[in-house]
Amino acid sequence: MTQHSKPVVTVLTAPGEQEPPGMDALRARATVRFAYDEPTLKDTLPGTDVMMVTDFRTEALEAAWPAADKLQWIHATSAGVDALMFPALTKGQVTVTNARGIFDRTIAEYVLCTILMFAKDFPRSIRLQLDHKWQHRDTERAQGNQVLVVGAGSIGRQIGRLVSAIGMKPHGIARKTRRDDPDFIAVHSNEELFEQLALADYVVIAAPLTPQTEGLFDRKAFKAMRPHARLINIGRGPIVKTDDLIEALRSGEIAGAGLDVFEEEPLAEDHPLWDMDNVIMTAHMAGDFIGWKRALTDQFLENFDRWHGGEELFNLVDKELGYAGSKPD
């Protein structure tokens, strides 16, 4: 392809967001345009071949969709693609990929850290330290506890590997049963969720947000869990019904929750979750590591070179299911 016929890439960012790092490398390969809302996207979409979406909460793409006259491929720089799954896109021919693989290990580290914080009662230790109180007490062992990972994909696999390393027993939930899985004692089907909830000491949500998972963890799910069990959500906030979770935490139906994602973000300053002693919270940052933004650009560039060379893309999203499969060799 000659210099004057470079493909056109539109980068959709959040309003006020800085240009992603590594754009000079993209400019060497393509004509790059930037958009941050519906009006700017309507201006930049005509003639665009490829989109790189960094604002995964945006509704601008659906609103501006009629202006997409040449678009072939959309890449989301996030693992979740639920915000992009509007009908015109899911039913159309435009290919979608995501950032599968970039955050897997760091999210698994976050989950392991949260489990150990609960087991070793670190939240209370921090409160006692702030109050200058010396209070010896016994804590739990993590070894031997059963961890149920709801969403046994690439992130779930990393979680299974790390918790296994400290002697915990990982089980998974996926669409289909897998009895001989290298990272789990067993992977159970979605239909076995409530049976497995009753056996787990820690329940980790690592599933994508789809019509099937939205609101999955409700009053019924919490009643199925063990009273000493803790819930950890690093998937998507709307998978958990927050009011039902608060009631389960207050009533003692479950022992605690580690939350990185919420139904509404940012969490309101007067939200009751802030003041609950059995809750550990972070601001949607479980997978973010130093240098993650450049890593996302580098991953896109690798896939862009494959697309430009006519090769198969990796991290292809099944638009009906709402998540990606494995990277080809």
Side-chain angles (χ1 to χ4, degrees), residues 22-33:
M23 287 294 100
D24 286 345
L26 181 58
R27 289 186 180 95
R29 295 164 164 87
T31 298
V32 182
R33 302 171 178 173

Side-chain angles (χ1 to χ4, degrees), residues 56-57 77-83 107 205-210 213-215 217 233-241 260-263 265 284:
F56 63 88
R57 296 183 181 91
T77 60
S78 59
V81 294
D82 46 277
I107 289 177
I205 300 174
L209 179 61
T210 67
T213 62
E214 185 170 4
F217 277 79
N233 188 8
I234 49 80
R236 280 289 184 261
I239 296 176
V240 175
K241 291 190 174 180
D260 185 58
V261 291
F262 305 85
E263 282 189 280
E265 296 181 8
H284 204 140

Side-chain angles (χ1 to χ4, degrees), residues 231-284:
L231 176 77
I232 300 172
N233 188 8
I234 49 80
R236 280 289 184 261
I239 296 176
V240 175
K241 291 190 174 180
T242 307
D243 290 343
D244 291 355
L245 172 62
I246 291 171
E247 178 58 32
L249 290 165
R250 285 175 171 166
S251 68
E253 283 181 343
I254 65 173
L259 307 172
D260 185 58
V261 291
F262 305 85
E263 282 189 280
E264 298 292 336
E265 296 181 8
L267 198 66
E269 291 184 5
D270 61 349
H271 200 283
L273 283 171
W274 287 112
D275 298 315
M276 302 186 77
D277 289 345
N278 54 351
V279 174
I280 298 171
M281 296 194 305
T282 50
H284 204 140

Side-chain angles (χ1 to χ4, degrees), residues 104-105 108 153-163 183-184:
D104 296 3
R105 182 70 177 194
S154 62
I155 294 173
R157 286 188 175 283
Q158 288 288 342
I159 294 168
R161 291 170 193 169
L162 286 193
V163 300
D183 300 311
F184 296 96

Side-chain angles (χ1 to χ4, degrees), residues 13-90:
T13 66
E17 181 182 345
Q18 292 184 343
E19 179 179 301
M23 287 294 100
D24 286 345
L26 181 58
R27 289 186 180 95
R29 295 164 164 87
T31 298
V32 182
R33 302 171 178 173
F34 289 90
Y36 55 87
D37 58 11
E38 180 184 344
T40 55
L41 193 54
K42 285 181 176 178
D43 289 340
T44 56
L45 266 181
T48 293
D49 300 290
V50 176
M51 282 193 66
M52 175 181 174
V53 180
T54 68
D55 181 11
F56 63 88
R57 296 183 181 91
T58 185
E59 297 177 353
L61 183 56
E62 181 176 10
W65 190 249
D69 56 354
K70 288 185 60 182
L71 192 62
Q72 300 178 42
W73 165 38
I74 296 173
H75 176 74
T77 60
S78 59
V81 294
D82 46 277
L84 299 179
M85 294 296 103
F86 52 90
L89 175 55
T90 57

